[in-house]
Amino acid sequence: MDNRPRVSLAVVKRLPKYYRYLGLISDRGIIRVSSQELSKITGLTASQIRQDLNHFGGFGQQGYGYNVEELKLEIEKIIGIDKSYKAIVLGMGNIGQAIYKYRGFNEDSGFKIVGLFDRDKNLIGKTILGKKIQDVKNLEGFLKEQEVDIAVLATTADSAQELCDILVDGKVKGIWNFASLDLKLPKNVVLENVHLDESLFTLTYYLNNLKDYPGTKN
């Protein structure tokens, strides 16, 4: 049983950043790194980095810093990407196809896409990178036969909740939602929303309010 205190969303959002930078450092042949050096690379304070990592145990050594490869592997376990996941993509339009082809979301990275679905008759039956797009009407039966960990929802908003309900009934554990709809889910199903317009509007806000941009000196 996990008895550690609850970790905040802000800390969870920073973990992939640490993992990415540690990978870059490792590729340069660097064996150890201090929190001060990580601070310069990530733009976060050394104190913040130490506090974040201390949520999960003490990985560094006084006077030595962190072993880059060991810390990278530890964060890999914390994030959960030391495991493999079966995934499906619902909606094979531009976004769905881009995700399916994304190199970070493939079997080499621990994600095996086992099904592609759409309701567009012009797409159903089409083969992309060796996998055929199925009719979304087959989704319920597919989930009865195949255990799926993650569903990528890249459909229009009008069908998103209906498909979400089928995914929940089919015991899908997590949904990566690109549909512009706030989904209703039971607490045992993990939801991560990706609203592209929110990200774009955040960018335009900072373009027009540069003094508020993180890291900008007043």
Side-chain angles (χ1 to χ4, degrees):
M1 188 174 179
D2 191 349
N3 294 318
R4 63 168 171 73
R6 186 171 184 173
V7 177
S8 71
L9 176 62
V11 174
V12 174
K13 292 286 189 181
R14 286 193 289 267
L15 290 174
K17 186 172 186 176
Y18 295 142
Y19 181 76
R20 177 165 57 88
Y21 279 111
L22 286 167
L24 294 173
I25 293 169
S26 179
D27 289 343
R28 287 162 51 192
I30 297 172
I31 296 173
R32 66 185 175 114
V33 65
S34 68
S35 55
Q36 287 78 15
E37 289 167 330
L38 275 177
S39 173
K40 294 175 184 176
I41 297 167
T42 62
L44 301 166
T45 66
S47 175
Q48 183 69 76
I49 292 168
R50 290 193 296 268
Q51 287 178 35
D52 287 352
L53 297 177
N54 283 341
H55 281 290
F56 306 96
F59 303 118
Q61 298 177 30
Q62 188 72 31
Y64 177 87
Y66 302 99
N67 180 292
V68 172
E69 195 57 36
E70 287 180 6
L71 182 58
K72 182 171 175 284
L73 290 173
E74 288 294 337
I75 293 178
E76 214 171 78
K77 293 175 186 176
I78 293 166
I79 297 174
I81 52 176
D82 59 324
K83 303 173 184 178
S84 58
Y85 301 90
K86 290 182 179 179
I88 57 175
V89 181
L90 306 181
M92 290 304 294
N94 292 333
I95 293 176
Q97 290 193 37
I99 293 167
Y100 175 51
K101 295 173 183 178
Y102 171 52
R103 62 181 180 80
F105 197 61
N106 58 40
E107 199 163 350
D108 291 339
S109 302
F111 299 97
K112 182 179 182 181
I113 295 181
V114 294
L116 307 175
F117 295 87
D118 205 289
R119 64 181 179 183
D120 187 340
K121 293 179 180 179
N122 294 319
L123 291 173
I124 295 168
K126 184 178 178 181
T127 298
I128 302 177
L129 299 179
K131 192 167 292 296
K132 187 178 289 187
I133 299 173
Q134 301 183 53
D135 192 325
V136 75
K137 292 178 181 178
N138 300 333
L139 178 61
E140 193 171 350
F142 181 89
L143 293 174
K144 289 178 180 178
E145 298 177 358
Q146 182 80 258
E147 184 176 338
V148 173
D149 301 297
I150 298 170
V152 179
L153 197 55
T155 65
T156 54
D158 60 339
S159 62
Q161 186 62 56
E162 179 186 354
L163 291 173
C164 177
D165 294 341
I166 295 173
L167 294 171
V168 170
D169 290 341
K171 310 299 181 185
V172 172
K173 302 177 182 70
I175 297 175
W176 198 17
N177 178 37
F178 287 80
S180 56
L181 180 73
D182 292 326
L183 301 170
K184 296 177 182 178
L185 286 168
K187 290 183 178 180
N188 63 326
V189 180
V190 178
L191 173 67
E192 177 66 16
N193 289 309
V194 183
H195 294 315
L196 298 179
D197 54 352
E198 290 181 11
S199 181
L200 178 60
F201 298 160
T202 300
L203 173 66
T204 58
Y205 174 84
Y206 283 129
L207 284 175
N208 292 281
N209 299 274
L210 194 57
K211 68 177 183 180
D212 294 334
Y213 185 61
T216 301
K217 295 181 180 179
N218 295 324

